[in-house]
Amino acid sequence: MAQNAAAQQPAAIAAAATPIADKAQDLAHETTVDAGQALTSNQGLKIADNQNTLRAGPRGPALLEDQLFREKMTAFDHERIPERVVHARGAAAHGVFETYASQAAITRAGFLGAGGKKTPVFVRFSTVAGSRGSADTARDVRGFAVKFYTDEGNYDLVGNNIPVFFIQDAIKFPDLIHAAKPEPDREIPQASTAHDTFWDFISLVPESTHMVMWIMSDRALPRSYAMMEGFGVHSFRLTNAQGTSRLVKFHWKPLKGVHGLAWDEAQKLAGKDPDFHRRDLADAIATGDFPEWELGVQVVEEADANRFGFDLLDSTKLLPEEIVPVRPIGKMTLNRNPDNYFAETEQVAFHTGNLVPGIDVTEDPLLQGRMFSYVDTQLTRLGGPNFHEIPINRALAPVHNMNRDGFHRQTIAKGRVNYEPSSIDVPPIREVPAANGGFVTAQVPVAGVKVRHRSETFADHYSQATLFWQSQTPPEQQHIVEALQFELGKLTVPAVRARMLSNLVNVDRELATRVAAVLGVAVPAASPRNGNKRYAPSPALSMIARANPKSVVGRKVAILATDGVDGDGLQAVKAMLVRAGVMVKVLAPHLGSLWSAGGTPVAVDELIVTTPSLVFDAVFVAAGADSVAALRASGDAIDYVREAFRHAKPLGALADGAGLLAAAGISTTGAKVPGVSVASQPAELSQGFIADMTMHRHWDRAVKSALAA
Ligand code: HDE
């Protein structure tokens, strides 16, 4: 018998050693389609009555023996698992990563080893502070976690949409999160940093100042997940086949450019469409407008870790792209929506320790703490040590080891040998030397005395906050000022507000003065700065300076109209927009169809009152005397265009459609208002409305106009 088993082993190992290339194919084994099937119990028993519990007579009490009721109710009672302690609210998608050209010179990671090599990915975006049911558009950092199902095992790049972090040492993470989450006495406020405990902590932790500048900017209000950058934040290590290791910073650059919402808009969206970002992601993928990012690297020699005037192990610092350029090495495309939110998006488990040969961690004290926390929290959240077997977490590479048993074990490991070394199974399960693809830790020297002490190279807390502020365009600076006025204006403890101004004045006196202007607080003197490094402004840090004014593909436009519309004109406008890749909806005061001045009725997609301008990128008013007159008399229609104007969105009209804009107080004659255009014929749209849309938002428009919503 033993000999027989031994003879069969090599073939079995050979078969198992072939990785499955496709995660969709892997998951397909786990999916079930219930439609049209017989209703059964968990044991496969066909159920005759799913309407009535078993009871003693039609009006009698329920019977404990009703195993079908008990099974159903027990399953329901246990449907929820603990939400993530941070990053609880998220949305995810499947996709593929394609490497541009071999990166073998810098890393032996197989998935980066050849041009054209494709690797399946699963990506989860998230907010950090809010709970699972909170709104997508809260002012917050966004998580940007990518799981690469590589041939050499799963590699997780668990990043954020902001390249720096609040704290330098993981031991402060629980304090930071306690301070940011709702206050513990009344659990208020939900998904908001505008409260005393958050700013109390921040004001006492100056190393957080740089990150605070980012979360007060429009980076914290992305227009779409597809329009955010992503960052690995820490320095990681790449090691090539020769064993040479270098430091690397990872960047995701969205091909749709980087765009944000207006703060007023984000707050209103939280009520009108709290699912704004997850809907946008799912809709874009469903319609074939696939979100895409380039993965870029900044690679630095190990010896240069301190060459740039800050420490590359300090996650409150970034490496300006103007100093070390970001080199694109591949492209990620998200092309498939998950089939089941819970099974995939909720159960996915990322971990900074999911590494592949050629990619490794550094001594960054923030990253070191993360190496512990992820699996630790997942043990509770996913109910035991076997969550790597949950389909979404399962590697496509073969998995063979001596880990056994535990709650919810799925794999049935055959044989007597669950240890190593062993001589009973021939050939035995074996280690793999580095030369054959085994993982070895980067060989970097470390030495030191055990201390609880922060390196002096981490001491400069303000220079890069100043760099960020000085790299912003005037409208972006204005948004930061308004965000700080809003957040600090909400505080009830005056000392916290005053302490924050002491921090801000160390960043930039003009910033502090502008924030203080509405807070009724004197601007204090700056304190002596540690480090005092001066950077040249970095245009790469500005969303506007780096906007991508080329394409309008995937943008959403509302066309306002009602009965009496110029139907031919509207159809021509719609056709032009659709040709440009825009998603168009006709909105009217009633559903059904509109009678048209030209004869052909126009179908209505949505009601003006149910689908606010907030969910569109731009608004257009159709022509037609009766339609325009009715819209001019409608408060809903006037508010609609005013709100879009306030949020700096492009506004357009065909011919007499301009009358609605005028009724809303928006000038369409005389000097051109940025982003407002009237076409006398549909053909003029490409030079007017569509050209205005490439800018996405016209922040240079006076935001605080007489039209403030
Ligand atoms: Fe996380 N973080 N984190 N984090 N993090 C988690 O893991 C943690 C940090 C990030 O979509 C948790 O499974 C510590 C930085 C993302 O499932 C937890 C520290 C960055 C996600 C955890 C940090 C991140 C998490 C909660 C300080 C950007 C969501 C649930 C040392 C580079 C992943 C979970 C998803 C989630 C710990 C700081 C990114 C508790 C201790 C910096 C994108 O383990």
Side-chain angles (χ1 to χ4, degrees), residues 84-87 124 126 143-145 158-160 165 170 173 231-234 348 350 366 369-370 373-374 377-378 381:
R84 287 168 175 79
V85 62
V86 282
H87 295 266
R124 183 174 181 272
S126 47
F144 193 129
V158 198
N160 278 345
F165 202 63
F173 191 66
F231 303 91
V233 179
H234 316 275
V348 68
F350 295 92
L366 197 68
R370 296 180 71 198
S373 176
Y374 287 73
T377 194
Q378 285 149 9
R381 187 169 72 81

Side-chain angles (χ1 to χ4, degrees), residues 493-569:
V493 182
V496 173
R497 200 177 283 142
R499 212 159 43 227
M500 267 320 295
L501 278 163
S502 307
N503 280 2
L504 294 178
V505 78
N506 290 336
V507 178
D508 188 282
R509 171 155 285 274
E510 186 205 320
L511 163 68
T513 309
R514 283 165 64 181
V515 172
V518 302
L519 297 180
V521 185
V523 181
S527 57
R529 292 161 60 122
N530 279 321
N532 235 354
K533 181 169 166 59
R534 297 283 164 210
Y535 292 86
S538 163
L541 302 182
S542 157
M543 294 166 75
I544 293 181
R546 277 293 177 95
N548 178 17
K550 289 187 202 101
S551 159
V552 293
V553 173
R555 301 282 168 78
K556 294 175 180 157
V557 170
I559 302 184
L560 303 188
T562 190
D563 291 309
V565 62
D566 161 13
D568 292 347

